[in-house]
Amino acid sequence: MFGFGKKKIEFVAPFDGNVVPVSEVPDPMFAGKMLGDGYAVIPSDDAEKLTVVAPAEGTLVKVFKTGHAFSMKTTAGVEVLVHIGLETVELKGEGFTVLHESGSVTAGTPIVEVDLSVVRGAGLNPITIVVFTKKGQVAELAVNAGATGAQPAAIATIA
């Protein structure tokens, strides 16, 4: 009732850019929180490559063969999906290099490298979404919107 005993987890941005709440993602499935609440990061227009990192400490559950997404479970048990770009599965892995496929990771561990010229050249949006996929795990989410920096991209209070 008063938040006693609730744990807060800090999540980093998966790369440098502009952090926005998931409700601002230009895709109805993500913006409508159908896959869960979260945040997204928009890379700068002049970025040529992205090294997408784990947003928290935990274990990689799955890295998609195409490299466009990965899921993980934090050490606190929160299930997270990181989806790189919109409709990027259509690229069938072109422009994506998987750097880390399984096992334990810390916040900031490089997982996937992305060639943004391929993504943008295909007319796709490189916005990257971080969502908490298990309903009810995150009781409250505070997103630090704006340019990435020293502060966490988001702080989740888990139930």
Side-chain angles (χ1 to χ4, degrees):
M1 177 175 195
F2 295 104
F4 298 123
K6 295 197 183 229
K7 185 173 182 173
K8 293 184 185 285
I9 303 173
E10 293 184 353
F11 289 86
V12 301
F15 53 82
D16 286 336
N18 190 42
V19 177
V20 297
V22 75
S23 59
E24 293 183 22
V25 172
D27 177 279
M29 186 173 297
F30 287 113
K33 301 181 183 179
M34 292 178 214
L35 295 176
D37 199 1
Y39 62 98
V41 181
I42 303 165
S44 65
D45 290 338
D46 61 351
E48 296 175 11
K49 287 196 182 283
L50 294 179
T51 300
V52 182
V53 304
E57 182 178 352
T59 303
L60 281 175
V61 174
K62 178 177 178 120
V63 178
F64 290 74
K65 286 184 209 176
T66 56
H68 80 285
F70 62 90
S71 62
M72 62 177 293
K73 190 172 196 175
T74 70
T75 53
V78 176
E79 295 177 19
V80 180
L81 171 70
V82 177
H83 194 283
I84 305 163
L86 299 178
E87 308 298 332
T88 49
V89 68
E90 295 174 6
L91 295 173
K92 298 179 180 159
E94 184 184 352
F96 293 83
T97 303
V98 175
L99 305 173
H100 199 97
E101 293 186 28
S102 62
S104 296
V105 295
T106 58
T109 299
I111 309 296
V112 177
E113 188 174 83
V114 184
D115 182 343
L116 289 178
S117 67
V118 174
V119 174
R120 290 178 174 138
L124 302 176
N125 187 334
I127 189 170
T128 297
I129 304 100
V130 179
V131 291
F132 309 107
T133 56
K134 191 166 184 185
K135 197 168 187 83
Q137 275 192 318
V138 174
E140 185 179 329
L141 182 65
V143 175
N144 290 318
T148 55
Q151 81 279 3
I155 299 173
T157 303
I158 58 174

